[in-house]
Amino acid sequence: SLAMKLPALLLALAHLHGVLGLWPLPRSLQTGSSALKLASNFDIHVNIAHAPSDLGSAIARTKSFLKNDKLGRLVVGRGTLDSNVVQRAGSLRTLELSLAPGSPVRSITDEARLPIGTRSEEYALHIPADGFTATLTANSTLGLLRGLTTFEQLWYEASGQVYTMETPVSISDSPAYPFRGFMLDTSRNFFPVSDIQRTLDAMSWVKMSQFHWHVTDSQSFPLEVPGFTELASKGAYASSMVYSPQDVQDIVAYAGARGIDVMIEIDTPGHTAIISAAHPEHIACAEASPWTTFANEPPPGQLRLASPATTNFTADLLASVARMFPSSLMSTGGDELNTECYVQDPETQADLKASGRTLEQALDVFTRTTHAAIRAEGKTPAVWEEMVLEHNVTLGNDTVVMVWISSANAAAVAAKNFRIVHGPSDFFYLDCGAGEWVGDDVANSWCDPFKTWQKSYTFDPQANISASQAHLVLGGEQLLWTEQSGPENLDSIVWPRAASSTEVFWSGPGGNSTTALPRLHDLAFRMRQRGVKAIPLQPLWCALREGQCNINS
């Protein structure tokens, strides 16, 4: 439908006027050609009775960015040539925030945690050319947050004056898809809370809605789970590399205040080798050799899914994790199950024989039991695509399925009527292209080549999905598996690349990467002003000269 595509006219207008800083591009945008100063006594007023404290905090952050971004326009001279026009311009004294009549007044945090697909993120922003009063209206505090994020991106500084160049500005905006996310793996390598929080900040600046936290895997178990603390004490890399319940609370609160819901993932029954450090009785083929026979990467080890004791242990563990996280979504993983591991495990074979079940039947019982446990805690399960496409297990029809192996597999998931989150390795894996990390092997990474921002920007969420199944697409995420990443390169490998999918899922697909490039430059420069070390996309010479470094310019 037209609503899902970026109107070509909108892009042409944006290009004509050079609205560089807006990312993602608003769904409806009109701009003029008048400069406008930000008054030295500029303030943000809230016309909401009993406004929640996290809205007050969001407003304080916006005011701080307006003062401290100090971003020079990306033109030759960095905006010093604007000063004549700016001196004669009017001054904006007030931004007025209000909710539409009858809107409930809830915290941003509560709005951001509503079930996926029921959240209100739309807003309208108007900035007059005379600068009297700008208005931001929405149907929720979450919508106001999204509008504040847009407002911040309009302003530049030169010669000590904060200003914008293209008023009046009239924006009516809402997301094409509700799930706009980023996944971080904190098991292959550990990331301190401060790095996660900085990443959540950057996510919020591009209106992301979901942080998918792949917290555990075969290599380490850094999550301290009440009732199961031995998993982290025996399975974390170090006592300093642990997320305590308080850390989790801090991360979840930090995310919620920034309009981000946290979907935790405990991958089961595969990707669990490290559990053997505390509970060898629950893990088959732990660190078995050669690892290539038993796992996709070292170390091998999988939960003994045919064992009633292991199934109950896993269900109780997942329920305890579920209680740590307020989101309605929780992922139980389910990818890369290695059958040879179970074939060669005497305990599993004995359990299968005793129950008279095949491995697939045992997997079905395991999945039904673990999903029932998290549903009892109010969670809707999410799983990796294999649970639907490669295994015959019973899943509730509200289960969210994450497609990762290939973008080509989304259509098959849709055909089975499951809701989809796109995370295909051929578009959205941020770790691809760094070379093979397995020792004694000179090769490319399995998902070569490097996925450029231009590549992810071309993604079509509806490709090969029938019109009658279009509603099943919740959105998508870019993912960082961290075999070769740590705090040292987190910002550079993620930003600004991970912003490319956000525009696909907020503005709709079909954007023009040539006109997007100047805006993405602008975003990256603004991120750097705010302490996120986004990488340059081109030489600075090109960034200051729109279009002059295009292939045919």
Side-chain angles (χ1 to χ4, degrees):
S1 73
L2 185 63
M4 287 304 196
K5 295 279 182 196
L6 272 178
L9 177 67
L10 172 61
L11 278 169
L13 278 174
H15 187 55
L16 187 69
H17 290 308
V19 178
L20 300 183
L22 298 182
W23 194 285
L25 197 63
R27 307 253 273 162
S28 166
L29 165 70
Q30 287 156 322
T31 58
S33 53
S34 300
L36 183 65
K37 293 193 284 261
L38 197 68
S40 55
N41 62 345
F42 169 81
D43 205 3
I44 298 178
H45 295 165
V46 186
N47 302 331
I48 301 167
H50 313 297
S53 64
D54 59 7
L55 179 61
S57 301
I59 289 166
R61 288 196 303 274
T62 294
K63 286 161 74 170
S64 171
F65 290 141
L66 292 170
K67 197 165 104 188
N68 300 318
D69 275 359
K70 294 185 165 57
L71 179 62
R73 270 204 325 131
L74 296 187
V75 292
V76 175
R78 297 306 298 271
T80 49
L81 305 176
D82 297 336
S83 56
N84 288 343
V85 184
V86 171
Q87 273 167 5
R88 297 195 302 272
S91 292
L92 182 68
R93 285 175 177 77
T94 313
L95 172 64
E96 283 200 355
L97 269 55
S98 51
L99 290 174
S103 302
V105 180
R106 287 188 288 238
S107 68
I108 294 169
T109 302
D110 287 346
E111 295 281 355
R113 290 174 187 164
L114 290 172
I116 192 84
T118 69
R119 303 167 193 164
S120 161
E121 299 182 90
E122 63 278 4
Y123 67 91
L125 174 64
H126 183 69
I127 304 173
D130 64 14
F132 187 61
T133 299
T135 57
L136 172 59
T137 56
N139 297 315
S140 73
T141 53
L142 179 59
L144 292 175
L145 172 74
R146 302 299 186 223
L148 285 169
T149 304
T150 301
F151 182 77
E152 295 162 9
Q153 291 181 338
L154 289 163
W155 302 90
Y156 301 93
E157 189 186 83
S159 315
Q161 178 64 57
V162 178
Y163 66 99
T164 189
M165 289 297 279
E166 296 161 73
T167 61
V169 177
S170 192
I171 290 171
S172 176
D173 204 7
S174 63
Y177 297 93
F179 194 115
R180 306 175 306 279
F182 169 67
M183 189 214 79
L184 181 65
D185 155 20
T186 58
S187 170
R188 273 53 180 259
N189 280 303
F190 181 81
F191 293 80
V193 172
S194 59
D195 290 287
I196 293 175
Q197 290 179 330
R198 186 179 67 259
T199 303
L200 290 164
D201 278 324
M203 290 167 66
S204 73
W205 303 334
V206 292
K207 303 183 173 65
M208 283 194 182
S209 61
Q210 293 289 150
F211 174 46
H212 170 187
W213 189 1
H214 183 94
V215 65
T216 59
D217 211 288
S218 275
Q219 289 83 354
S220 76
F221 200 108
L223 183 66
E224 192 179 293
V225 183
F228 297 84
T229 52
E230 71 278 5
L231 294 176
S233 62
K234 298 262 177 66
Y237 283 132
S239 57
S240 60
M241 294 186 175
V242 167
Y243 303 107
S244 67
Q246 184 61 54
D247 291 334
V248 168
Q249 234 174 337
D250 292 347
I251 287 168
V252 161
Y254 198 92
R258 285 154 185 78
I260 297 167
D261 182 38
V262 180
M263 178 177 77
I264 194 70
E265 179 192 351
I266 304 290
D267 204 348
T268 61
H271 289 270
T272 46
I274 196 64
I275 289 176
S276 67
H279 290 283
E281 70 277 15
H282 292 314
I283 300 296
C285 68
E287 297 185 28
S289 175
W291 64 262
T292 48
T293 303
F294 303 102
N296 282 40
E297 66 177 54
Q302 304 182 146
L303 285 163
R304 287 190 164 121
L305 56 80
S307 153
T310 300
T311 301
N312 292 337
F313 165 84
T314 307
D316 292 347
L317 168 64
L318 291 172
S320 186
V321 173
R323 290 189 285 272
M324 299 175 76
F325 290 85
S327 175
S328 64
L329 282 176
M330 177 175 176
S331 173
T332 61
D335 60 317
E336 297 187 330
L337 207 53
N338 181 295
T339 50
E340 191 60 27
C341 171
Y342 296 123
V343 169
Q344 295 195 28
D345 182 51
E347 287 87 340
T348 298
Q349 292 307 310
D351 285 331
L352 290 173
K353 197 172 176 187
S355 65
R357 293 185 184 120
T358 64
L359 187 63
E360 279 295 302
Q361 289 167 336
L363 177 62
D364 182 50
V365 172
F366 179 90
T367 305
R368 278 189 284 146
T369 307
T370 54
H371 282 197
I374 68 169
R375 284 183 184 278
E377 301 297 337
K379 305 304 184 201
T380 301
V383 295
W384 293 113
E385 63 175 78
E386 291 99 317
M387 287 284 111
V388 167
L389 299 182
E390 294 179 18
H391 299 289
N392 189 18
V393 297
T394 311
L395 297 170
N397 60 6
D398 60 344
T399 304
V400 172
V401 179
M402 303 177 290
V403 174
W404 71 273
I405 296 172
S406 167
S407 55
N409 295 350
V413 174
K416 291 181 183 257
N417 270 321
F418 286 105
R419 293 185 295 170
I420 295 169
V421 169
H422 290 291
S425 57
D426 48 329
F427 283 86
F428 289 159
Y429 270 27
L430 295 164
D431 54 306
C432 303
E436 179 54 77
W437 57 269
V438 174
D440 199 26
D441 185 13
V442 181
N444 293 332
S445 59
W446 72 270
C447 55
D448 252 39
F450 181 89
K451 310 303 173 217
T452 64
W453 76 264
Q454 293 95 330
K455 171 75 173 178
S456 42
Y457 194 68
T458 63
F459 185 74
D460 179 3
Q462 300 294 341
N464 304 316
I465 292 173
S466 69
S468 63
Q469 291 158 340
H471 67 282
L472 295 169
V473 178
L474 293 176
E477 62 183 10
Q478 278 172 276
L479 307 89
L480 181 62
W481 301 104
T482 59
E483 287 89 352
Q484 295 171 296
S485 292
E488 299 78 8
N489 70 326
L490 176 61
D491 290 8
S492 59
I493 202 166
V494 176
W495 305 111
R497 265 198 306 163
S500 58
S501 65
T502 307
E503 182 152 291
V504 170
F505 294 113
W506 179 283
S507 314
N512 178 325
S513 64
T514 305
T515 52
L517 176 59
R519 292 184 295 110
L520 194 56
H521 271 308
D522 210 278
L523 173 71
F525 275 75
R526 201 175 288 275
M527 282 186 164
R528 290 194 284 273
Q529 295 298 98
R530 296 179 182 184
V532 170
K533 293 184 172 133
I535 60 164
L537 298 172
Q538 285 182 316
L540 180 56
W541 191 93
C542 302
L544 302 183
R545 292 164 179 82
E546 181 181 342
Q548 287 191 37
C549 295
N550 293 350
I551 191 92
N552 50 9
S553 58

